[in-house]
Amino acid sequence: MTLDTDFHSHVSYTSAMQMAQSARTKGLRVLGLSEHITQMSESRPLLEHLPLEGPIMTFPAYVEAVLAAAQAIPFDVRLGMEVEFIPEKNERIQALLQPYNWDFLIGSVHEVDGLSIEVKQDLTREECEDFWLRYFQALRQAVNSGYFSLVSHPVRMRASNPHLPATFDHELEYLAAEATRNNVALEINGSDLLSYPDVVRRLARACAAQHTPISVGSDAHYPAEVAQAHQQSAALLHEVGIQSIRIWKQGVAEEYSF
Ligand SMILES: [Zn+2]
Ligand SMILES: [Zn+2]
């Protein structure tokens, strides 16, 4: 078996149809589409401080476009969403998701205490290390929240903050253990792996040590990026002894060997 699923991809710059067609052309078996909740007009008032990626859409229009692409191609497309985890807003965010029949929901921490984790902050080295610790705390809260099938890109802060705390590997293992305990997957993210493979390797090792369920997603925003880094992801997972990938249908987890 090969790594032939991708459970993190976006449609806002293109369309569900174009992304699913790319997945089929690249030989994938299943594509999980997971548009940002920040792109939905119904949730925009709660999340208007976050950047937009292309035109906004309604929840019904997004759901309809995903189902229509699956039927028209035809292709096994799973309906998902990348959902912000913001403690004081989670209840209102989750209420907006309730009416729809999601295959999977990705929990994403993109900000901690109102500060973006992807934009370089004006912090001292010590504050940078402390920012990592608060990021890991938020990721553990997301894993424990009960809202999500998986928690995405757990080392994404590396994009803006190279000052890893001395306890970095311990923090990863703590997060991986909490994910295992809650039966929530952690993600090996293709975009992260192409940008900072060293910290993604440390994440994969922590997941292997804690027997954490693994999701693999490219974080593609364009058709050419679907399954980006899948070869590297498969090689890394095999290197650390992980043989199994988790995917979801109607919220129910499935595993396959690769
Ligand atoms: Zn994200
Ligand atoms: Zn994403």
Side-chain angles (χ1 to χ4, degrees):
M1 296 276 280
T2 53
L3 179 50
D4 58 6
T5 61
D6 183 338
F7 266 65
H8 188 151
S9 60
H10 297 276
V11 305
S12 59
Y13 290 131
T14 60
S15 67
M17 192 76 81
Q18 287 179 64
M19 297 300 278
Q21 264 161 353
S22 175
R24 196 182 73 151
T25 304
K26 291 182 177 212
L28 291 191
R29 180 170 54 87
V30 186
L31 177 67
L33 286 170
S34 56
E35 191 43 69
H36 284 291
I37 195 167
T38 47
Q39 293 297 124
M40 304 296 138
S41 58
E42 297 92 332
S43 45
R44 198 64 210 160
L46 278 174
L47 303 168
E48 61 192 352
H49 62 296
L50 292 167
L52 271 179
E53 297 182 340
I56 62 170
M57 62 198 94
T58 63
F59 279 105
Y62 170 61
V63 171
E64 179 54 33
V66 172
L67 300 181
Q71 208 166 36
I73 295 180
F75 193 71
D76 191 349
V77 182
R78 307 280 168 94
L79 177 64
M81 182 151 282
E82 181 173 8
V83 180
E84 296 302 314
F85 181 81
I86 304 174
E88 64 276 16
K89 294 183 177 175
N90 285 334
E91 278 184 30
R92 282 173 288 165
I93 290 172
Q94 292 295 318
L96 293 169
L97 294 163
Q98 281 307 316
Y100 308 98
N101 194 14
W102 305 105
D103 287 310
F104 68 110
L105 289 175
I106 300 179
S108 284
V109 176
H110 292 122
E111 63 180 60
V112 176
D113 302 333
L115 292 180
S116 169
I117 63 131
E118 295 178 293
V119 176
K120 191 165 168 34
Q121 304 292 339
D122 186 19
L123 300 173
T124 65
R125 186 185 180 109
E126 198 171 284
E127 288 166 341
C128 280
E129 292 179 11
D130 186 57
F131 198 27
W132 268 108
L133 298 180
R134 288 186 291 138
Y135 177 48
F136 280 123
Q137 187 178 37
L139 289 165
R140 289 195 301 273
Q141 286 174 357
V143 154
N144 277 291
S145 68
Y147 294 138
F148 307 118
S149 319
L150 69 137
V151 168
S152 69
H153 49 58
V155 293
R156 176 59 58 86
M157 183 177 272
R158 179 64 184 80
S160 68
N161 179 1
H163 300 299
L164 308 181
T167 54
F168 187 73
D169 291 302
H170 172 77
E171 289 287 334
L172 286 173
E173 287 222 14
Y174 185 9
L175 174 64
E178 290 287 284
T180 305
R181 191 169 65 77
N182 287 283
N183 196 27
V184 169
L186 295 180
E187 180 186 74
I188 298 299
N189 182 285
S191 172
D192 286 350
L193 186 53
L194 294 176
S195 306
Y196 20 84
D198 52 329
V199 285
V200 179
R201 174 171 282 103
R202 290 163 78 170
L203 168 66
R205 284 207 185 108
C207 290
Q210 297 297 327
H211 307 287
T212 307
I214 294 291
S215 177
V216 175
S218 61
D219 216 343
H221 285 68
Y222 294 94
E225 295 171 350
V226 172
Q228 68 175 332
H230 261 36
Q231 271 191 334
Q232 296 94 319
S233 297
L236 170 61
L237 292 172
H238 282 147
E239 173 195 316
V240 301
I242 293 171
Q243 324 278 357
S244 175
I245 301 295
R246 179 162 290 192
I247 60 176
W248 297 265
K249 187 170 197 164
Q250 302 200 333
V252 178
E254 308 167 357
E255 301 257 347
Y256 71 95
S257 303
F258 71 103

